[in-house]
Amino acid sequence: MNIPFADFKVMHGELRDKLDAAYNAVVDSSYYIQGTQCKAFEEEYAKYCGTKHAIGVATGLDAIYLILRSMEIGEGDEVIVPSNTYIATALAVSYCGALPVFVEPEIETYNIDVKRIEEKITDKTKAIIAVHLQGRPADMDGVRKIADKYGLKVIEDAAQAHGSKYKGIRVGSLSDAAAFSFYPGKNLGALGDGGCVTTNDDELAAKVRAIGNYGSDYKYHHIYKGTNSRLDEMQAAFLRVKLPHLDRWNERRREIAARYLAEINNPVITLPPATNDEYEHIYHVFVIRCDKRDELEKYLADNGIGTVKHYPIPMHMQEAYADLNIPEGSLPIAEKISATVLSIPMYYGMTEEEVSYVIEKINAFE
């Protein structure tokens, strides 16, 4: 049996007629940027997240950058970032001229360890970015308590958490502003790049929209040194087709995860925490840990099972951040996670037989 790491054939096959109709509608409209599709999607996604505003942008990275710019975070400032996340979170801070300050995660959840944040706060700290990694919400009450104590902004990097909930409230509405990515592999993915910012702050929403549109609040009137970052009509139209199905797709992911959690029983494999009412995980990826990760990766590949290592080199050890002079061993939890995690197949469309095969092969690994 061959099981890819991810597959969109079933998902897109079920929606093919509607996706084709959305494509035709955009082509026939002759309006491809900042039209009715984007506006409608922004309204629908804001309602879904429970926020006043959703502003479509070009990528998830841009979404974080535009939030930081709108908060006037820049040269000489510091932003708390989890040491275990995709590099885009830190890059957005760097693009603003600020310094990303890495805080270690909890080894069990992979999310930022709230107990470690305060020791990294200085008089230069302006914000905390809480990443809902892999689709599991971060400890937002803990983050918010510290932010309130020190007068800091809170930003959610929700790029992997479309539809997940923290204590019954959807992510994207738990902070001053949140960033989403609609990269095709996300639980809510476009058919190309895309992203958005959600917020309840009217002023911040207006600034994000203007800075992402060349700094313009209306045509040919520029109030900021902006950039070009807009969600195009085609991707917005596709996202509108997919959004009504997101909760159903997430529920199927949780069903698969429940089987993995209940039936993978191998002493050399460490499983993630189960979802619960407080931290409603939507399993963008399902990540296991193994001290023999590379051997496991090869073994599963030999048995036709696709996997991905998220992420094999921690940010502080990337050449891009050599200028921070953070030596190996300084962030041991992020380093251990990077050396031992492996993401196994998790996608809408997996059959029970395929799930059983993955479980069988993982249990047989020695």
Side-chain angles (χ1 to χ4, degrees), residues 12-296:
H12 290 159
E14 290 179 354
L15 302 178
R16 185 57 183 264
D17 290 346
K18 292 182 179 178
L19 292 169
D20 288 346
Y23 168 83
N24 289 329
V26 173
V27 171
D28 292 343
S29 75
S30 298
Y31 212 113
Y32 309 121
I33 299 291
Q34 294 185 312
T36 58
Q37 293 288 345
C38 185
K39 184 177 186 297
F41 174 72
E42 289 175 340
E43 292 173 353
E44 291 159 6
Y45 198 64
K47 182 178 180 181
Y48 179 82
C49 292
T51 57
K52 289 175 67 177
H53 305 280
I55 304 97
V57 300
T59 67
L61 169 56
D62 281 1
I64 305 172
Y65 167 74
L66 290 168
I67 292 169
L68 293 166
R69 278 283 310 273
S70 298
M71 292 176 173
E72 298 182 2
I73 292 172
E75 200 73 36
D77 295 333
E78 296 178 356
V79 177
I80 300 293
V81 174
S83 60
N84 177 54
T85 184
Y86 186 53
I87 197 170
T89 314
L91 288 175
V93 177
S94 299
Y95 291 167
C96 290
L99 179 71
V101 176
F102 298 128
V103 172
E104 288 273 72
E106 299 170 329
I107 188 69
E108 299 84 8
T109 68
Y110 309 115
N111 279 334
I112 194 167
D113 187 343
V114 171
K115 298 186 297 295
R116 297 173 181 266
I117 293 176
E118 282 194 85
E119 65 191 46
K120 295 295 185 76
I121 293 174
T122 72
D123 59 1
K124 297 179 180 179
T125 308
K126 295 296 186 291
I128 303 170
I129 300 179
V131 180
H132 306 308
L133 197 67
Q134 302 164 7
R136 186 184 196 277
D139 177 2
M140 293 306 297
D141 283 353
V143 170
R144 187 88 257 178
K145 183 177 180 180
I146 293 170
D148 289 345
K149 179 179 177 180
Y150 291 94
L152 307 177
K153 297 291 188 181
V154 176
I155 300 164
E156 294 169 82
D157 180 341
Q160 300 181 3
H162 313 73
S164 66
K165 294 178 181 178
Y166 175 73
K167 297 184 177 180
I169 302 171
R170 288 202 194 277
V171 303
S173 63
L174 300 164
S175 60
D176 295 291
F180 287 89
S181 166
F182 300 125
Y183 179 78
K186 306 300 186 185
N187 290 34
L188 179 63
L191 304 188
D193 273 319
C196 86
V197 172
T198 56
T199 184
N200 288 312
D201 186 323
D202 296 343
E203 182 180 353
L204 188 141
K207 289 179 75 173
V208 166
R209 191 177 296 282
I211 294 171
N213 187 34
Y214 298 99
S216 173
D217 55 348
Y218 59 89
K219 194 168 185 177
Y220 300 135
H221 184 259
H222 304 270
I223 53 178
Y224 308 108
K225 295 181 177 71
T227 186
N228 176 18
S229 182
R230 301 171 299 199
L231 180 65
D232 70 68
E233 285 287 279
M234 192 67 75
Q235 299 309 330
F238 292 146
L239 289 165
R240 292 188 67 203
V241 170
K242 298 176 81 171
L243 179 58
H245 303 273
L246 176 58
D247 288 343
R248 177 170 62 89
W249 295 337
N250 284 344
E251 184 56 35
R252 176 55 184 155
R253 286 174 178 268
R254 280 191 287 268
E255 291 172 358
I256 296 168
R259 286 201 60 195
Y260 283 159
L261 290 165
E263 298 177 44
I264 293 176
N265 183 20
N266 186 325
V268 304
I269 303 296
T270 300
L271 298 170
T275 190
N276 57 44
D277 292 340
E278 188 169 5
Y279 295 92
E280 188 175 299
H281 204 321
I282 50 83
Y283 296 100
H284 168 58
V285 289
F286 191 96
V287 177
I288 60 178
R289 282 194 291 117
C290 179
D291 289 337
K292 299 192 291 182
R293 189 267 310 281
D294 294 344
E295 293 95 322
L296 175 61

